């Protein structure tokens, strides 16, 4: 399976990265990590790029890492449209006090506009 992982600066993104690396190692998926540019995050794009390199290296997983500029949701969907990906993986979603999932604007945009199957990792 050819998998694209969208990586922003959140803890949920790191969780998605770790789980996707684990799956890739287990089943041999082809993985591309797209590091998104997002101004209001806990970690910068450069920090996320280095984190992805480190975790991939530690796991012995060979993957392509790309930096995407511009609006995070739109740039990820555009990149997914240009490639032949079977699945797009993103981290996100929090649980409301009522037990319902709440999606951020980027996650919602990707879920509604992606040209392929989207896996949401919480």
């Amino acid at each position: 399976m050819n998998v694209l992982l969208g990586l922003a600066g959140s803890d949920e993104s790191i969780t998605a990265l770790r789980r996707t690396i684990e799956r890739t190692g287990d089943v041999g998926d082809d993985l591309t990590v797209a590091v998104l540019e997002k101004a209001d995050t806990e970690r910068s794009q450069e920090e996320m790029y280095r984190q992805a390199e480190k975790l991939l290296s530690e796991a012995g997983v060979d993957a392509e890492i790309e930096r995407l500029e511009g609006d995070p949701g739109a740039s990820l969907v555009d990149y997914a449209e240009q490639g032949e990906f079977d699945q797009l993986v993103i981290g996100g979603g929090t649980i409301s006090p009522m037990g319902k999932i709440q999606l951020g604007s980027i996650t919602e945009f990707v879920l509604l506009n992606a040209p392929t199957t989207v896996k949401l990792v919480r």
Side-chain angles (χ1 to χ4, degrees), residues 9-43:
S10 67
D11 291 338
E12 292 85 6
S13 287
I14 296 292
T15 299
L17 175 62
R18 289 179 191 277
R19 289 188 185 165
T20 303
I21 288 172
E22 184 179 310
R23 176 185 158 76
T24 299
D26 290 345
V27 299
D29 289 339
D30 291 324
L31 177 61
T32 300
V33 178
V35 184
L36 307 173
E37 178 182 61
K38 189 174 175 205
D40 59 343
T41 61
E42 302 160 20
R43 297 170 191 87

Side-chain angles (χ1 to χ4, degrees), residues 4 8-9 13 16 30 32 34 44 70 79 86 92 103 108 112 115 118-119:
L4 173 63
S13 287
D30 291 324
T32 300
S44 70
Y79 192 81
D86 301 307
L103 303 175
E108 186 175 325
L112 294 173
V118 178
K119 180 179 181 179

Side-chain angles (χ1 to χ4, degrees), residues 2-121:
N2 195 2
V3 176
L4 173 63
L5 170 70
L7 190 61
S10 67
D11 291 338
E12 292 85 6
S13 287
I14 296 292
T15 299
L17 175 62
R18 289 179 191 277
R19 289 188 185 165
T20 303
I21 288 172
E22 184 179 310
R23 176 185 158 76
T24 299
D26 290 345
V27 299
D29 289 339
D30 291 324
L31 177 61
T32 300
V33 178
V35 184
L36 307 173
E37 178 182 61
K38 189 174 175 205
D40 59 343
T41 61
E42 302 160 20
R43 297 170 191 87
S44 70
Q45 185 181 35
E46 185 58 33
E47 284 180 81
M48 294 304 288
Y49 188 93
R50 287 193 309 266
Q51 181 77 11
E53 283 182 321
K54 179 182 175 233
L55 292 174
L56 288 163
S57 176
E58 288 173 356
V61 173
D62 185 31
E64 190 174 326
I65 307 174
E66 298 288 335
R67 286 183 177 91
L68 301 184
E69 305 297 324
D71 178 80
S75 62
L76 184 58
V77 168
D78 288 344
Y79 192 81
E81 287 174 346
Q82 295 171 17
E84 295 185 16
F85 298 102
D86 301 307
Q87 187 177 72
L88 194 161
V89 179
I90 55 174
T94 57
I95 302 295
S96 75
M98 299 296 293
K100 304 221 184 228
I101 188 167
Q102 296 175 315
L103 303 175
S105 60
I106 295 169
T107 303
E108 186 175 325
F109 182 87
V110 171
L111 286 169
L112 294 173
N113 294 286
T116 187
T117 301
V118 178
K119 180 179 181 179
L120 178 64
V121 177

